[in-house]
Amino acid sequence: MGRLVVVSNRIADPRKTAAGGLAVALGEVLNTTGGLWFGWSGKVVDATDADDVHFQQAGPVKLATVDLTQVDHDDFYLGYSNGVLWPVFHYRLDLADFDAGYIAGYRRVNQLFARKLMPLLKPDDVIWVHDYHLIPLAAELRALGCKQRIGFFLHIPLPPPLIMAAIPGHDWLFKGLCSYDLVGFQSLADHEHFCRYIEAEAHAQNLGEGRWRVFNRTLQAGAFPIGIDVKEFQALTDAPEAREMYERMRREYSRRKLLVGVDRLDYSKGLPQRLRAFRELLSKYPDTRNSATLIQIASPSREDVSAYTDILHELESLCGSINGNFGELDWMPVRYIHRTVARARLPGLYRASHVALVTPLRDGMNLVAKEYIAAQDPDDPGVLVLSRFAGAAEQLKEALLVNPYDTEGTAAAILLALQMPLEERRKRHEALMATIRRYDVHWWCQTFLDSLSLTQSEEKGTAWLRL
Ligand code: ADQ
């Protein structure tokens, strides 16, 4: 395989311990294969200063970044990516702002990425593009004459065709998606939605084994559920910072059982529903009062998008009312922390917690679920309560699967988790560990890149025929 070129909206120095699924997973691949990582610098600058590509060498990996102007950042990043695509892809048509004209900025920045990346490419490069910010990138690169193999991985869910069809310009978006040689999804359900869309809306011809003929070209599509680096995470769990965190939490909560939630503050993560289920637990099962504490970490995220400030206020008010109504002088039922926890300490918090609540309303995969499993003591493991609407639910069948919209049902599952006998906890944990070990981040990268290398590059084929 030629040099690997990874393109994503944000990039990170793979040598640093970064938070965030994408950064963590990509750091893994690039550290081992070397190559080029191209993306936005995270800087917003004046139009006159926005033209340069900045280079940095990070061990074997070359980092190349471009800056964005204020208007590009607002339209491309806040507007179209996070104000239209993010809500719709998470089934929230009600939150999407279709009328603001952001789509021009989305296209403009994808064109900018293509223009700046094109001169950096070598003929044998294999290009791997990530996530919803960059769906049209392959089409823009092809328009500039790019003949290399290009793969795309969608980290968030893909909803059913009728939801996608509500996006003005959805046909353009899908045509862009079909300009890749390989399109990968997190789950079988997302993959199935893609197949149904291209069959119904674009009259795609099914060539079998994940291959499609559509928009006059052939592409491959499939599910590639992302994993974590289990060994690395276990080593992190055994390191001093995580151990210290574990000891502190166990000391602090020695008389009580600890429940934990770790999320970015996002409406897709089902945080108000989770708190309502916890309130239901305390109200319906009085024995849990004074004996269980929920620590909810919600790291700040996209605070300049208005739907995010709404959820922030809702959460603060729910936590206040639960603590006000159920708290005692020496017991606060919910500790809500609106901050990011350092990655090195996170495994200690997971391990000290008897139950993890991972209850998104919709989630591409959800790596917190897998990290929680990896951090447990196999002799005395905690219990994972997992939403059936997280991509991870397709794989993690031995978790306690819940419908986060069902407050009573979720409260009953939390009670079951708190009371689960040791033998059952061990059995479930063993099975879950086997799954996350088998389908770890290395499996994910390798399987995707192997599949990409097996695709017949349409553009190369055409060039060869013309010779
Ligand atoms: P995210 O929505 O960011 O990612 P998730 O997979 O849950 O969601 O978390 C990614 C990483 O962020 C994990 O390593 C986790 O530990 C860390 N993290 C989350 N909240 C944190 C907090 N409060 N403090 C510290 N660290 C925190 C997107 C998709 C997911 C998909 C990933 C990877 O939305 O569905 O699983 O990409 O593909």
Side-chain angles (χ1 to χ4, degrees):
M1 189 182 97
R3 181 179 68 152
L4 177 64
V5 176
V6 170
V7 190
S8 57
N9 177 48
R10 294 305 303 272
I11 72 166
D13 185 335
R15 294 167 305 178
K16 296 184 184 152
T17 321
L22 189 57
V24 174
L26 291 182
E28 288 294 332
V29 208
L30 284 162
N31 259 339
T32 48
T33 62
L36 174 70
W37 192 349
F38 183 94
W40 174 39
S41 62
K43 287 195 194 118
V44 174
V45 297
D46 287 342
T48 44
D49 299 329
D51 218 36
D52 293 345
V53 181
H54 314 288
F55 293 100
Q56 209 187 320
Q57 195 66 38
V61 183
K62 190 174 196 174
L63 307 177
T65 54
V66 287
D67 305 326
L68 293 182
T69 62
Q70 190 68 52
V71 66
D72 279 353
H73 171 262
D74 291 356
D75 288 359
F76 157 77
Y77 181 72
L78 298 178
Y80 203 72
S81 299
N82 289 319
V84 175
L85 296 182
W86 179 274
V88 175
F89 281 39
H90 287 86
Y91 297 58
R92 291 297 303 268
L93 283 171
D94 58 317
L95 294 178
D97 186 357
F98 294 123
D99 291 330
Y102 298 134
I103 196 162
Y106 182 68
R107 172 128 202 235
R108 203 164 55 239
V109 171
N110 273 276
Q111 284 170 336
L112 170 84
F113 267 45
R115 230 175 27 247
K116 296 294 176 186
L117 177 60
M118 199 58 197
L120 308 180
L121 295 176
K122 298 176 183 169
D124 283 343
D125 282 349
V126 172
I127 306 165
W128 189 0
V129 179
H130 289 261
D131 233 358
Y132 58 103
H133 316 85
L134 300 174
I135 292 172
L137 186 63
E140 299 297 352
L141 283 167
R142 301 282 186 227
L144 298 177
C146 175
K147 306 226 182 303
Q148 286 85 339
R149 263 191 195 117
I150 319 180
F152 178 84
F153 184 76
L154 185 67
H155 288 259
I156 64 174
L158 190 86
L162 278 182
I163 293 186
M164 288 306 298
I167 303 178
H170 59 93
D171 38 356
W172 169 77
L173 215 53
F174 266 86
K175 203 168 174 188
L177 200 50
C178 292
S179 301
Y180 289 91
D181 296 304
L182 173 66
V183 181
F185 299 96
Q186 296 272 27
S187 68
L188 295 170
D190 300 330
H191 177 223
E192 192 216 314
H193 294 154
F194 172 77
C195 299
R196 274 176 37 209
Y197 178 99
I198 57 171
E199 271 189 312
E201 302 276 338
H203 312 293
Q205 186 193 351
N206 189 347
L207 305 176
E209 298 183 342
R211 288 176 72 234
W212 293 91
R213 186 80 199 157
V214 60
F215 297 120
N216 283 326
R217 62 187 311 282
T218 307
L219 82 139
Q220 180 86 30
F224 300 86
I226 196 169
I228 62 163
D229 186 335
V230 177
K231 282 195 195 124
E232 184 251 7
F233 208 79
Q234 285 181 323
L236 215 57
T237 311
D238 290 334
E241 263 193 87
R243 276 176 174 274
E244 195 209 321
M245 182 75 173
Y246 170 81
E247 301 291 346
R248 254 182 48 204
M249 298 311 285
R250 277 283 156 113
R251 248 193 335 266
E252 185 80 14
Y253 295 94
S254 57
R255 292 192 298 118
R256 300 197 166 97
K257 287 207 166 164
L258 206 56
L259 299 101
V260 75
V262 176
D263 307 81
R264 267 187 317 100
L265 207 165
D266 191 288
Y267 47 80
S268 66
K269 303 290 181 184
L271 297 173
Q273 288 78 1
R274 185 181 306 169
L275 285 166
R276 282 196 279 273
F278 187 63
R279 182 174 63 191
E280 176 75 9
L281 174 87
L282 301 177
S283 151
K284 196 163 171 191
Y285 309 103
D287 284 354
T288 56
R289 291 182 208 164
N290 224 333
S291 71
T293 299
L294 168 62
I295 296 190
Q296 177 60 57
I297 316 276
S299 57
S301 173
R302 304 173 197 161
E303 286 178 334
D304 22 18
V305 178
S306 67
Y308 289 77
T309 34
D310 295 347
I311 188 113
L312 180 72
H313 294 138
E314 191 180 358
L315 271 184
E316 282 171 356
S317 136
L318 264 169
C319 291
S321 89
I322 296 173
N323 284 337
N325 288 323
F326 294 96
E328 303 281 348
L329 283 173
D330 63 347
W331 172 61
M332 216 194 322
V334 184
R335 304 205 78 142
Y336 164 66
I337 297 155
H338 182 41
R339 270 198 307 274
T340 302
V341 174
R343 192 166 160 74
R345 298 166 71 195
L346 212 47
L349 177 61
Y350 289 146
R351 195 173 176 111
S353 304
H354 300 86
V355 176
L357 303 181
V358 180
T359 53
L361 304 179
R362 200 78 223 173
D363 215 330
M365 176 55 60
N366 196 301
L367 295 179
V368 170
K370 296 185 174 183
E371 291 170 353
Y372 177 75
I373 297 164
Q376 295 310 296
D377 172 1
D379 292 330
D380 186 14
V383 181
L384 174 64
V385 175
L386 177 64
S387 163
R388 56 175 297 179
F389 305 124
E394 268 189 13
Q395 295 180 300
L396 305 179
K397 300 278 186 223
E398 293 81 8
L400 288 182
L401 295 185
V402 296
N403 167 8
Y405 294 98
D406 175 0
T407 311
E408 271 186 42
T410 306
I414 299 174
L415 185 70
L416 205 65
L418 285 167
Q419 297 177 339
M420 190 178 284
L422 178 61
E423 202 186 324
E424 185 177 350
R425 281 190 278 128
R426 275 195 193 144
K427 238 167 74 186
R428 285 178 186 260
H429 179 256
E430 200 184 327
L432 291 168
M433 268 310 287
T435 304
I436 64 165
R437 272 207 186 100
R438 177 156 184 214
Y439 301 105
D440 69 357
V441 73
H442 306 292
W443 172 89
W444 173 71
C445 288
Q446 206 52 56
T447 320
F448 186 92
L449 291 172
D450 286 351
S451 302
L452 182 55
S453 70
L454 288 173
T455 56
Q456 306 286 323
S457 180
E458 187 89 350
E459 280 57 34
K460 272 194 177 152
T462 316
W464 178 76
L465 281 177
R466 273 200 215 110
L467 282 176

